[in-house]
């Protein structure tokens, strides 16, 4: 019986585990450092907005995994030893695999801004980010204004979340109109108006320059490239995501922006089959 180890219990890792189980009786171990059980990331916002509880985001009952012979490990993979076919785990014993599937998704981008590591500065990707948001922005008494950096889908979701608690929001968007790289200009203008109708202070053509600290090391304001200083208690960094593959450095698996894969999702390491949403393929598919 082969041991298949899957790193990442998001939709990619879980789908792989379910389909392998349907077709084989291999031993399957599913590892994630984020949460014990798979949950729907796309619905995270509804928890903050009070429409759902976190338990409601779990597509499967907790007993599903044991019943289907899928072992769960709640741990972070610090590195992969491809020579000895072993994944090394933080705070627990490593695991030896026959086949390894890497389904580790993405992490929020940070572009080296001064102040990006201050308290009160965060992205919106993980369950931990959601928990942090409850601390940084539970209400408008504690968070008098939030500044969101990035005019993408996650930025606008974060704006909607904060507005649901009546927290004033400023959005810094690099482009001259919201999502104009995707939408025709008329539609993009409509979205600008819609955002402003929802009392969001939308600043187009504006970049973050720096995040300013208070005496306690928390973000107190942002400075824009227009020379304005905007006071705030939360800075939401939402300028996109990049593949979560840092832990593969030194593993022998070739890395570009993400892991480099063939069109069959194999790495160069023989016997490693990798799956990842943010793959960087060597050859384009026809
Ligand atoms: C707020 C938000 C809203 C979204 N809304 C939508 C939407 O409406 N529609 C849509 O199609 N998409 C949406 N997306 C995108 C969608 O969620 C992702 O494309 C999808 O989750 C990717 O799935 P995945 O399984 O590849 O990775 P992920 O869901 O990122 O899962 C990877 C897992 O691996 C874990 N992991 C990473 N590295 C390690 C390690 N070294 N050790 C252990 N565990 C590790 C991570 O913690 C994570 O739990 C949204 C994303 C966000 C953040």
């Amino acid at each position: 019986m082969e041991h298949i180890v899957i790193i990442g219990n998001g939709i990619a890792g879980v789908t792989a585990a379910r389909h392998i189980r349907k077709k084989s009786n291999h031993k399957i171990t599913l590892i994630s450092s984020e949460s014990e059980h798979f949950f729907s990331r796309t619905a995270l916002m509804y928890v903050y907005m009070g429409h759902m509880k976190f338990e409601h985001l779990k597509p499967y009952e907790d007993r599903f995994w044991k019943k289907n012979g899928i072992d769960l490990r709640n741990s972070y993979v610090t590195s992969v030893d491809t020579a000895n076919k072993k994944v090394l785990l933080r705070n627990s014993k490593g695991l030896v695999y026959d086949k390894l599937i890497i389904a580790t998704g993405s992490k929020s981008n940070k572009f080296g801004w001064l102040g990006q590591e201050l308290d009160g500065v965060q992205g919106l990707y993980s369950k931990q980010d959601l928990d942090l948001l409850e601390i940084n922005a539970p209400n408008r008494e504690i968070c008098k204004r939030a500044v969101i950096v990035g005019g993408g889908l996650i930025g606008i979701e974060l704006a909607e979340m904060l507005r649901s608690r009546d927290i004033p929001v400023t959005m810094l968007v690099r482009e001259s109109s919201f999502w104009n790289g995707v939408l025709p200009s008329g539609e993009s203008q409509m979205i600008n108006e819609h955002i402003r109708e929802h009392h969001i202070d939308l600043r187009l053509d504006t970049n973050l320059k720096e995040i300013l600290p208070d005496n306690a090391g928390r973000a107190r304001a942002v400075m824009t490239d227009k020379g304005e200083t905007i006071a705030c208690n939360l800075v939401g960094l939402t300028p996109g995501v990049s593949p979560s593959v840092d832990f593969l450095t030194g593993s022998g698996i070739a890395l570009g922006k993400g892991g480099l894969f063939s069109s069959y999702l194999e790495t160069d390491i023989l016997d490693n089959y990798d799956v990842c949403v943010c793959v960087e393929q060597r050859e384009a598919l026809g």
Side-chain angles (χ1 to χ4, degrees):
M1 202 206 299
E2 287 198 328
H3 184 198
I4 300 186
V5 171
I6 303 173
I7 314 174
N9 72 346
I11 188 67
V14 162
T15 304
R18 284 182 41 241
H19 284 269
I20 293 165
R21 175 51 69 243
K22 270 191 201 165
K23 296 190 172 192
S24 77
N25 64 352
H26 293 321
K27 178 174 165 56
I28 303 172
T29 306
L30 188 57
I31 310 171
S32 172
S33 53
E34 184 178 11
S35 59
E36 197 181 346
H37 297 110
F38 168 51
F39 68 92
S40 167
R41 189 175 305 291
T42 56
L44 269 180
M45 67 184 295
Y46 303 114
V47 176
Y48 181 88
M49 290 166 75
H51 302 180
M52 291 172 130
K53 293 195 164 135
F54 184 76
E55 298 82 79
H56 300 149
L57 306 193
K58 291 194 269 185
Y60 301 97
E61 303 271 353
D62 290 354
R63 61 193 153 85
F64 172 88
W65 309 100
K66 192 162 181 211
K67 192 174 152 215
N68 287 284
I70 298 171
D71 296 338
L72 304 180
R73 289 289 282 269
N74 192 195
S75 184
Y76 182 77
V77 176
T78 52
S79 60
V80 177
D81 175 356
T82 48
N84 295 303
K85 295 189 138 195
K86 200 170 172 190
V87 294
L88 305 180
L89 301 173
R90 185 177 288 157
N91 303 329
S92 62
K93 261 179 72 185
L95 288 173
V96 173
Y97 61 84
D98 294 297
K99 291 257 171 21
L100 179 65
I101 298 181
I102 298 165
T104 47
S106 314
K107 57 180 174 15
S108 303
N109 281 335
K110 287 179 176 179
F111 292 116
W113 289 294
L114 215 60
Q116 68 180 20
E117 304 300 337
L118 291 170
D119 288 343
V121 181
Q122 67 164 104
L124 176 65
Y125 191 89
S126 62
K127 170 160 194 323
Q128 286 70 25
D129 291 334
L130 186 77
D131 297 341
L132 194 57
L133 195 64
E134 282 293 349
I135 296 169
N136 286 330
N139 53 50
R140 68 175 294 169
E141 281 68 50
I142 290 177
C143 182
K144 295 185 173 55
R145 175 165 294 277
V147 173
I148 297 172
V149 181
L153 296 182
I154 295 181
I156 202 71
E157 271 196 25
L158 181 56
E160 186 180 352
M161 290 161 75
L162 294 162
R163 291 301 300 137
S164 76
R165 295 198 188 181
D166 215 18
I167 294 172
V169 172
T170 296
M171 278 189 92
L172 308 186
V173 175
R174 182 177 54 180
E175 289 74 30
S176 58
S177 184
F178 191 84
W179 234 36
N180 64 359
V182 178
L183 299 172
S185 78
E187 274 81 349
S188 171
Q189 291 292 340
M190 253 171 59
I191 306 277
N192 294 339
E193 284 163 29
H194 190 72
I195 291 172
R196 287 182 171 133
E197 275 164 20
H198 283 266
H199 309 289
I200 292 166
D201 169 30
L202 177 64
R203 312 273 181 110
L204 298 168
D205 263 326
T206 307
N207 285 288
L208 173 67
K209 195 160 171 230
E210 183 181 338
I211 304 166
L212 305 173
D214 65 10
N215 293 335
R218 281 195 71 85
R220 67 168 173 82
V222 299
M223 206 198 280
T224 73
D225 61 352
K226 300 255 164 73
E228 293 156 310
T229 301
I230 305 167
C232 60
N233 306 99
L234 170 77
V235 181
L237 296 180
T238 60
V241 296
S242 46
S244 182
V245 290
D246 296 347
F247 70 102
L248 293 176
T249 306
S251 64
I253 296 173
L255 299 175
K257 275 188 185 159
L260 287 169
F261 305 91
S262 75
S263 28
Y264 293 97
L265 300 178
E266 294 161 288
T267 59
D268 294 339
I269 310 279
L270 207 64
D271 260 357
N272 270 283
Y273 273 85
D274 294 20
V275 180
C276 187
V277 164
C278 297
V279 296
E280 203 176 335
Q281 283 187 325
R282 289 190 187 282
E283 318 108 43
L285 290 173

